[in-house]
Amino acid sequence: MSVLAALAVALIAWSVHGVAQRSLAVVLAGSAVALAAGAALGLALYPWTDLPVLGFAVAGGVLVGRRLPPRPMPMLVLLAVLAALDAIQIVAPGPGPSPGATGGAAPAWYFYGMLVIDTAWSHTGVGIFDVLLIAALVEHARRRGLPFAAGAAPGVLTFVAADVALLVLGPLNLPLVPFLFAGWLVTGLAVRIAGVPSQSETKPTAR
């Protein structure tokens, strides 16, 4: 389910490329208010909580993707810094199980910081800022002139690798940004090997 969730987020982020930045900012702000209010009131209204989570993450991610110059190096630096911070904040206190993996009821605030997909077969919870970063990668790839597959691949590879790690290590609260960083690096290498031209390679940079 996590791989399908990554694909769905990528499709949504790719499809809103024509939406103006002001409209995205309104969605971002409105979703942030809904998330804060719901968490403060302790309203565990899943699955409706996924709507403001997606609104905040996709709008914020697309805005981040538009702010970064359409070149690999700015995204490389951002991912490297965020991966290090994510690993530190997860590993330093110990990689304990997530609230959904313990079998107990998750607190209400959990649903306002996670994209949650509950089925009869599995529970999937992806952090809101991880979703935001997936959307940012998709928009940044689009602005570089890369195909949709190159934008969506890092998120898909992330959850394939994370699912394998969970099968081997058991239910842990894994830092996902390092997986995203690795997926982005692998995708970039594959794009270069395949000779897929990017916008930055085919158009002169304005001075």
Side-chain angles (χ1 to χ4, degrees), residues 50-73:
D50 279 349
L51 294 178
V53 167
L54 275 174
F56 180 91
V58 172
V62 171
L63 288 172
V64 170
R66 291 182 184 180
R67 293 293 296 175
L68 290 176
R71 299 189 302 274
M73 187 54 67

Side-chain angles (χ1 to χ4, degrees), residues 121-185:
W121 305 277
S122 66
H123 169 89
T124 299
V126 185
I128 189 170
F129 291 106
D130 297 318
V131 179
L132 186 152
L133 194 50
I134 290 171
L137 291 174
V138 171
E139 176 64 12
H140 192 254
R142 186 195 65 79
R143 292 182 63 237
R144 289 176 58 198
L146 297 175
F148 170 75
V156 172
L157 292 174
T158 290
F159 289 108
V160 170
D163 287 347
V164 170
L166 289 175
L167 284 174
V168 173
L169 302 174
L172 295 174
N173 189 18
L174 293 174
L176 281 183
V177 181
F179 285 95
L180 272 173
F181 188 22
W184 182 81
L185 290 173

